[in-house]
Amino acid sequence: MGRFLAFGEIMLRLSPPGRELLMQTPKFDVWVAGAEANVAVALAKLGHDVGFASALPDNDLGRAALTNLRGAGVDTRGIQFRGERMGLYFVTSGAGMRATEVIYDRAYSSFAETPTEAWDWDALLAGVDRLHLSGITPALGPVPAATAIAAANAAAARGIAISFDGNWRGKLWERWDSDPRGILTQLVAQADLLFGNHRDIALLLGREFSSDGEERRREATEAAFAAFPKLQIIASTARHVEHVDLHRLSARIDTRSDHAQTEEVVLAGIVDRIGGGDAFAAGVLHALRSGGDSAEAARTGLALAALKHSLPGDASLFRQADIDAYLAGGLDVRR
C-alpha cells in the first residue's frame, strides 16, 4: 500500500462551548489541530501507513498532542521536541447569519522556529512514496517557507510523489514581508496532485479566468496543467453557503484528459466545518491509493468532507465503513 508522510505544524484549537462568543464564559473546548495533522489522522483512521513530521515543545501540551496522534494510529517518530511554544488558534463558531471567526496565536512556535537544516529528510522520507504538504507551512514565515521548499525538493529528488493543498491563509501571509505567489509556485511545481480551486490557480498564475461555473474550473485547471508539467490531478470543492448551518457542497477531480464532477450535497445542521477541506483531501488520497478512478476519488472525498461537518473538532475520525454507509444513504437509526 505504500507509506504517506505529512509535514506541518500541529497546534491546539480552543473554542468557546457551543455557539458562545470568545470569552463569553471562561471556558474552552480544546482539540489537537493542524491541516496536515488532520490529513494524517484521517488517513490513519482509514487504515493507511502514515507518518507525521513536525516539531513540538517538550512539555505537557506537546506531549499531549503527540499522544493524540499516536492514539489515532499515526507514526510520530518524525516529530522532534524543541523550542518552548505550542501554536494555538481560537475558533468562535458562527450561528445563523454570524460567520465563524478565527484568531491565530502561532508566532514563534516550536515548529515555526525550527531551522531548515534541522530536518533529516533521508530519515524522514525513508520508505515514503507520497509526501503531503500545504500552503499553511510557508505562510508562517521565511524559515518555514524555506523548509517547505526543501521538503518538496528532497521528495522530488527521491522520486516521491507530492500532494499539495493550497490552504490559503491570508492572515498568516500578511504578518511578514512575503511573496506568496513566488513561494507557492515553487511548491506546486514539484507536485503531481494539487488540492485547489480556480482562485488558488489565479493566484499562482497571476491571472483571472473569464468563464463561469464548471467552464471556469476547467479553464483554470487547463492553465495550471500547462504551467506545471509535473501536475497530473487537481482536486477541488465548490461550496455555497446559505447560512452557517446550511451549505451545499460538490467535488471535482480534473486530470489532463478528463474530469469527474459530483452532484451537490446539502449539509444541514452543521456541527463544525473546520477541517472539512482536510477530510476531502484525505478522502481523495485514500481513494486514489486504494485504486479508485477520478469519479471514485471525487465521491469519496466529498463523502468524508460531508461526514466531517457532523463532528466537532478538526480531524475526521471516520473509517471506510462510515463512508460506505454514507454513500448507501439512509439516516434512520442503524440498529
Side-chain angles (χ1 to χ4, degrees):
M1 290 287 287
R3 176 176 169 82
F4 292 98
L5 178 72
F7 174 69
E9 182 170 30
I10 185 169
M11 304 182 296
L12 294 181
R13 167 185 160 183
L14 291 82
S15 293
R19 301 296 181 90
E20 292 185 12
L21 299 176
L22 198 66
M23 298 301 295
Q24 184 176 335
T25 56
K27 297 179 181 179
F28 286 109
D29 294 325
V30 183
W31 290 278
V32 174
E36 302 87 354
N38 293 340
V39 173
V41 167
L43 287 170
K45 287 291 184 180
L46 289 166
H48 295 281
D49 180 3
V50 55
F52 187 63
S54 191
L56 290 169
D58 190 4
N59 57 29
D60 287 348
L61 296 178
R63 292 285 177 180
L66 182 133
T67 299
N68 180 277
L69 261 68
R70 280 182 178 165
V74 176
D75 182 347
T76 59
R77 289 176 295 174
I79 296 178
Q80 53 181 295
F81 286 105
R82 61 185 304 136
E84 300 179 352
R85 173 141 212 276
M86 185 101 180
L88 307 175
Y89 83 115
F90 299 82
V91 177
T92 303
S93 296
M97 304 307 291
R98 171 168 61 86
T100 295
E101 292 283 346
V102 172
I103 297 174
Y104 293 112
D105 180 21
R106 52 198 298 185
Y108 309 110
S109 69
S110 292
F111 178 81
E113 293 292 289
T114 299
T116 299
E117 61 271 17
W119 303 96
D120 183 353
W121 294 112
D122 283 332
L124 290 170
L125 293 171
V128 170
D129 65 353
R130 179 169 291 280
L131 173 68
H132 182 73
L133 302 170
S134 94
I136 297 177
T137 295
L140 294 173
V143 173
T147 302
I149 292 169
N153 290 341
R158 292 161 174 79
I160 296 170
I162 298 168
S163 51
F164 183 78
D165 193 333
N167 271 333
W168 175 256
R169 299 292 186 268
K171 288 183 178 181
L172 296 177
W173 286 106
E174 291 166 3
R175 287 183 54 254
W176 60 288
D177 184 19
S178 59
D179 176 19
R181 182 183 173 192
I183 293 168
L184 294 175
T185 296
Q186 294 182 66
L187 292 165
V188 176
Q190 300 287 20
D192 72 308
L193 171 54
L194 171 66
F195 295 98
N197 58 25
H198 64 277
R199 290 183 292 274
D200 298 295
I201 296 170
L203 169 67
L204 289 169
L205 302 184
R207 55 168 287 194
E208 297 297 326
F209 300 99
S210 58
S211 52
D212 199 8
E214 291 189 28
E215 290 184 4
R216 177 172 60 188
R217 296 171 81 176
R218 187 61 193 178
E219 179 187 359
T221 57
E222 287 180 346
F225 287 135
F228 300 106
K230 289 187 177 181
L231 198 57
Q232 301 299 319
I233 301 172
I234 299 175
S236 62
T237 59
R239 182 186 298 268
H240 296 92
V241 179
E242 302 292 341
H243 55 74
V244 167
D245 298 318
L246 180 63
H247 298 184
R248 291 179 286 119
L249 191 68
S250 63
R252 181 182 175 100
I253 303 290
D254 283 271
T255 67
R256 288 182 173 269
S257 60
D258 204 354
H259 73 274
Q261 171 78 44
T262 71
E263 298 292 328
E264 278 190 330
V265 298
V266 176
L267 305 176
I270 293 171
V271 173
D272 194 341
R273 69 164 285 183
I274 303 295
D278 304 324
F280 171 71
V284 170
L285 290 169
H286 167 61
L288 294 175
R289 175 57 58 90
S290 303
D293 60 12
S294 294
E296 179 69 16
R299 285 193 300 270
T300 304
L302 181 61
L304 202 60
L307 286 168
K308 169 59 195 73
H309 284 69
S310 72
L311 190 69
D314 275 38
S316 166
L317 304 177
F318 298 100
R319 302 184 185 277
Q320 182 63 52
D322 301 306
I323 295 174
D324 294 340
Y326 171 85
L327 292 173
L331 295 176
D332 200 359
V333 178
R334 295 174 188 140
R335 303 182 190 274

